[in-house]
Amino acid sequence: MSTLPSYSRRLALGLALGGLGLTAAGCVKGESSGAAAGSSATASASGSAGGAGGTVRLDYALYNPLSLVVREQKILENAGLTVQWEQSLGSNKANEFLRNDNLDLASTAGSAVLQARTNGSPVKTVDVYSQPEWTALVVAKDSTVTDVAGLRGKRIAATTGTDPYFFLQQALAEAGLSATDVEITNLQHADGRAALERGDVDAWAGLDPNMAATELQSGSKLLYRNVDFCTYGLLNARESFIESSPELVQQVVDAYATARAWALANPAELATLYAAQAQLTPEVAARVLERTTLDVDSVPGEAQRSVLEGIVPLMASTGDIPSAEAATEALDGLLVAEFAEKATPA
């Protein structure tokens, strides 16, 4: 995109003025391992929480910068909650955690949670955490493919059940192709990046931060971009948890509001935190955040419904859901506005 949002311009200025002062890292941690930078994947809160305010099981993810802020700054723990943290390596993993009752709330792309709900997972969206351009179709630096139509007969890595996967499907359809015209290899995001760089696949439906890392560190090229094909970053909760513990859901959404306010006011500090948590170079962290709009209406509503309605026919045609009618019914009950409407930053 030719013009960066105001947040991204402030980020670039903050980086130029203050620098990040971080040691460069050569890989993206977390997408290929359940371990968090500097901690285990699941940890109970310590200190003053003591369980007195209740316990919530919550994810953090490299594709969700606000989750990293909530976790690193112990916003919920400082409010008296005990938090059991689990890292989501992709929307598909976050949906698995919710479906299997391993987490109470988890973050996904909109397309992924709609698919999950349509296929019987009892989840609802309670907050919008970002409007990212977090995916694109990526080819290796020496690739001769110049457009999506050129992918006919090619091998493409993608993680099924995630926004990159549905981005790929939309891009193929726009170019007059279908999934049967290419060979889609189901790989987790980091593995897709590795396969692209090794030459095992011809293209990859990428996801930041791995996408930014392969651009800057391996010279990979973004073959096709379209922010309108991205379906927002959504925070979702199990329906039973919403019913049994609405006050805890509200506290989590409040924590996200606090994290958002801090992130928008402190773009350079956010980049430092993000780079450290994800073990990224400063340049990769900056590239990811340039493509991530955090200054977005956090209330789930018409904007999300509109973009999701647009992909329902495609989801049905690829067999990822039982029918378009089932998806429309699922969408009717997916978006819950009340928690974000009442959110109060600390």
Side-chain angles (χ1 to χ4, degrees):
M1 294 179 294
S2 59
T3 303
L4 294 179
S6 60
Y7 168 76
S8 299
R9 293 196 297 270
R10 297 202 313 275
L11 169 64
L13 179 61
L15 294 179
L17 293 177
L20 291 176
L22 293 175
T23 301
C27 64
V28 179
K29 183 166 183 176
E31 286 290 330
S32 59
S33 163
S39 67
S40 62
T42 304
S44 296
S46 58
S48 60
T55 298
V56 63
R57 301 172 300 170
L58 186 62
D59 84 333
Y60 66 100
L62 301 187
Y63 53 82
N64 178 2
L66 294 187
S67 71
L68 304 181
V69 176
V70 173
R71 180 172 178 264
E72 175 67 16
Q73 296 187 355
K74 298 186 181 297
I75 295 172
L76 288 165
E77 291 89 338
N78 292 337
L81 295 185
T82 295
V83 185
Q84 295 177 359
W85 290 101
E86 187 76 37
Q87 185 179 18
S88 292
L89 302 182
S91 293
N92 58 328
K93 297 301 182 183
N95 278 324
E96 285 179 17
F97 288 140
L98 292 171
R99 183 175 61 249
N100 296 332
D101 194 14
N102 298 125
L103 290 178
D104 302 311
L105 298 99
S107 46
T108 73
S111 57
V113 72
L114 177 59
Q115 177 187 323
R117 182 175 170 84
T118 304
N119 290 332
S121 184
V123 292
K124 292 189 175 185
T125 295
V126 296
D127 189 73
V128 180
Y129 60 81
S130 71
Q131 184 181 17
E133 187 192 7
W134 52 18
T135 185
L137 297 187
V138 189
V139 294
K141 64 179 180 180
D142 57 353
S143 174
T144 59
V145 177
T146 58
D147 56 24
V148 178
L151 293 175
R152 183 185 295 273
K154 303 294 186 181
R155 297 163 299 171
I156 307 173
T159 308
T160 57
T162 68
D163 228 28
Y165 172 75
F166 291 111
F167 183 97
L168 169 62
Q169 298 285 359
Q170 293 177 87
L172 291 173
E174 185 181 65
L177 303 178
S178 71
T180 59
D181 294 315
V182 299
E183 180 183 339
I184 299 177
T185 301
N186 182 23
L187 295 173
Q188 197 63 43
H189 302 299
D191 298 325
R193 171 194 171 186
L196 179 73
E197 293 176 352
R198 288 194 305 265
D200 294 343
V201 296
D202 302 293
W204 168 51
L207 181 71
D208 276 333
N210 276 295
M211 185 169 72
T214 195
E215 278 186 272
L216 295 172
Q217 296 168 0
S218 300
S220 300
K221 300 177 292 187
L222 301 190
L223 175 70
Y224 179 76
R225 301 171 66 177
N226 190 337
V227 68
D228 292 333
F229 283 177
C230 300
T231 60
Y232 289 88
L234 304 183
L235 181 66
N236 314 298
R238 292 184 299 107
E239 288 186 5
S240 60
F241 189 71
I242 294 174
E243 295 167 1
S244 67
S245 305
E247 71 287 350
L248 294 180
V249 176
Q250 188 65 62
Q251 283 189 264
V252 173
V253 175
D254 288 350
Y256 264 73
T258 300
R260 186 192 310 277
W262 179 86
L264 294 174
N266 301 279
E269 290 85 350
L270 173 64
T272 301
L273 183 154
Y274 185 62
Q277 288 292 300
Q279 293 196 359
L280 303 171
T281 66
E283 294 78 12
V284 171
R287 179 67 60 88
V288 173
L289 293 174
E290 285 172 4
R291 294 197 282 240
T292 304
T293 301
L294 298 176
D295 191 10
V296 61
D297 187 353
S298 64
V299 180
E302 187 53 40
Q304 291 71 46
R305 182 179 183 91
S306 178
V307 72
L308 292 174
E309 283 178 336
I311 67 169
V312 164
L314 181 61
M315 295 174 74
S317 69
T318 58
D320 294 298
I321 56 175
S323 67
E325 292 75 18
T328 300
E329 182 178 352
L331 181 56
D332 286 341
L334 175 64
L335 306 173
V336 178
E338 62 182 275
F339 297 104
E341 287 175 341
K342 295 187 294 186
T344 305

